[in-house]
Amino acid sequence: MLAERIRKIKPSGVRKIFDLAKKVKDPIDLSLGEPDFDVPKEIKEEAITWIRKGFNKYTLSAGIPELREKVKEHLRKKGIIFEEVMLTAGVTGGLLLCCLGLIDEGDEVLIPDPYFVMYEYQVMLAGGVPRYIDTYPDFRLREERIRDLLSPRTKAIIINSPSNPTGTVYSREELEMVARIARERDLLVISDDIYDRFVYDTPQAPSLGQIYEKTITLGGFSKSWAMTGWRLGYLAGPKGIVESLITLQQYSFTCPPSFAQKAALLALDYDTTPMIEEYRKRRDLIYEGLREKYEVVKPQGAFFIFPKAPNGKGERLVERAIAEGLFMVPGKVFSQRSTHFRICFAAPSEKLERAIEILKRLA
């Protein structure tokens, strides 16, 4: 009865661990990648105001004009190259539109490994073939590893920086190298910039959207303003592509949530610096706590760390940690390898300290 495309899709490994943690009393749950702070009060009040005013119906499929203009202004300040902008049902919704609108059956899409779980399966849902760029052991992009994967069927490259699950921020030189390859082969690049404000060691993370004109830049409000359940993102890129994806949205998501769009107008001006500084402290805490016992790369952004498990057995370590009440995600969920595990450090310092204590004992 099921379509062949859905038979290839496995339940989310992240959600599996998250659901398991919900059944345990007082778990140390470092599995799900969402901020542990609430939507700022001012933004919530703005949403409530518009709900009470009756702004609860469909909007234009591309989103309300005033927020599209605000997003354009935001992207111009970042130096992003684009011709048109649309609003989407989260970055995940924007990515799905890209995959369905741009990938044909058999097209190959290059994805750095480790990768966010959605990339692999959304490419497959569109009939595409994921090809994995090996970035181990330091999670950096290497030109020869990308060129080795190129074929006549290569259509696009997906880049996520800062990265989920590794916290890697790609350098300007790495992104220029990707842009050079993409330009040579006339490839599309999809740049997932959802964690662009979560940068700890440099003022700003460079983006491929600043370098290559055939980049589709994805961004959103879920991480920086904790609006994960409000499902609001944006997509920017070449005019012809964006206009076609707006049409596709008419026949899929219809439009982004109405009240969230109004609240997002305020969010884009809301200062997230104190929250980012708190996450930098947590990054330092978890990294310093694990580095003596684990092989681990210091994350430069996002709110994840991706250590290597003892003897390279990530799933076994996660099983042992769960027995101790600590919930993490095995690296195999994000990779073709099963050697690592992901910790989300968007959690109170007290929980992180308890997690460090357990992991040191299990090392």
Side-chain angles (χ1 to χ4, degrees):
M1 296 292 290
L2 292 175
E4 183 62 29
R5 72 176 69 87
I6 199 67
R7 293 180 185 179
K8 301 176 183 177
I9 306 301
K10 301 175 184 177
S12 167
V14 177
R15 285 286 171 173
K16 179 180 178 182
I17 300 295
F18 176 70
D19 292 345
L20 189 60
K22 289 298 181 185
K23 299 175 183 178
V24 176
K25 185 178 180 180
D26 191 29
I28 307 172
D29 185 7
L30 307 180
S31 62
L32 194 63
E34 67 176 346
D36 64 319
F37 63 91
D38 196 7
V39 177
K41 181 180 178 181
E42 298 92 328
I43 299 173
K44 287 193 291 186
E45 291 300 326
E46 186 73 3
I48 291 167
T49 295
W50 285 100
I51 289 171
R52 287 177 173 159
K53 285 183 176 180
F55 196 77
N56 303 302
K57 301 185 184 301
Y58 296 130
T59 70
L60 296 172
S61 288
I64 59 175
E66 58 266 42
L67 182 55
R68 291 174 71 191
E69 288 303 315
K70 190 87 171 180
V71 169
K72 289 178 182 180
E73 178 185 337
H74 166 70
L75 293 174
R76 289 188 190 107
K77 287 179 180 178
K78 282 184 61 181
I80 300 297
I81 304 165
F82 68 96
E83 295 173 340
E84 188 55 277
V85 164
M86 65 179 291
L87 304 177
T88 60
V91 169
T92 300
L95 179 66
L96 185 60
L97 292 174
C98 288
C99 289
L100 294 178
L102 302 172
I103 298 171
D104 283 321
E105 190 76 28
D107 283 346
E108 296 178 356
V109 180
L110 307 189
I111 304 172
D113 180 352
Y115 46 81
F116 178 47
V117 293
M118 294 286 186
Y119 303 153
E120 176 182 34
Y121 287 120
Q122 288 202 5
V123 168
M124 292 168 63
L125 276 172
V129 179
R131 300 291 304 277
Y132 307 99
I133 305 166
D134 183 4
T135 68
Y136 289 90
D138 56 358
F139 312 131
R140 310 310 309 190
L141 295 171
R142 293 168 176 81
E143 183 167 359
E144 65 276 10
R145 293 185 182 179
I146 297 176
R147 290 193 179 277
D148 285 347
L149 295 174
L150 295 172
S151 82
R153 294 308 307 264
T154 305
K155 181 71 173 288
I157 305 173
I158 296 178
I159 294 294
N160 174 216
S161 178
S163 164
N164 175 6
T166 66
T168 301
V169 175
Y170 295 132
S171 68
R172 179 87 182 187
E173 291 73 24
E174 286 172 285
L175 297 182
E176 286 176 345
M177 174 268 291
V178 172
R180 185 170 63 251
I181 293 172
R183 197 171 280 115
E184 287 174 9
R185 301 294 292 260
D186 195 29
L187 304 178
L188 292 168
V189 173
I190 300 170
S191 182
D192 180 354
D193 292 3
I194 186 62
Y195 296 100
D196 62 346
R197 293 185 181 231
F198 293 84
V199 182
Y200 307 119
D201 303 317
T202 57
Q204 181 180 324
S207 170
L208 248 164
Q210 299 165 335
I211 302 169
Y212 181 51
E213 60 280 1
K214 288 191 176 180
T215 298
I216 300 167
T217 299
L218 302 175
F221 300 86
S222 293
K223 310 301 182 179
S224 297
W225 298 280
M227 294 160 59
T228 52
W230 294 17
R231 309 315 302 138
L232 183 63
Y234 56 81
L235 180 158
K239 184 179 178 67
I241 289 177
V242 176
E243 288 179 344
S244 294
L245 297 184
I246 292 171
T247 300
L248 182 56
Q249 178 143 283
Q250 294 171 358
Y251 296 102
S252 53
F253 300 99
T254 305
C255 66
S258 54
F259 71 91
Q261 295 181 61
K262 286 291 191 179
L265 285 165
L266 183 63
L268 279 171
D269 290 327
Y270 189 89
D271 183 14
T272 59
T273 302
M275 179 264 293
I276 300 299
E277 177 59 22
E278 176 60 29
Y279 276 37
R280 186 192 65 78
K281 293 176 182 177
R282 296 179 188 181
R283 184 280 306 262
D284 292 344
L285 174 64
I286 194 74
Y287 173 71
E288 294 297 333
L290 296 180
R291 61 192 293 256
E292 291 184 7
K293 295 285 188 178
Y294 289 84
E295 182 181 328
V296 59
V297 177
K298 188 176 185 178
Q300 301 165 298
F303 37 69
F304 308 102
I305 191 167
F306 202 63
K308 185 176 182 180
N311 301 315
K313 297 181 179 179
E315 290 176 290
R316 175 57 182 150
L317 179 72
V318 169
E319 290 173 359
R320 294 169 64 205
I322 289 174
E324 300 271 352
L326 170 58
F327 293 81
M328 313 175 298
V329 185
K332 189 176 182 181
V333 171
F334 309 97
S335 178
Q336 297 301 290
R337 301 191 188 191
S338 57
T339 51
H340 290 59
F341 59 99
R342 190 192 78 171
I343 293 172
C344 174
F345 55 80
S349 296
E350 178 269 332
K351 280 195 174 184
L352 296 178
E353 289 168 352
R354 288 167 58 196
I356 290 167
E357 181 181 333
I358 292 170
L359 288 169
K360 282 183 174 179
R361 192 165 64 245
L362 296 178

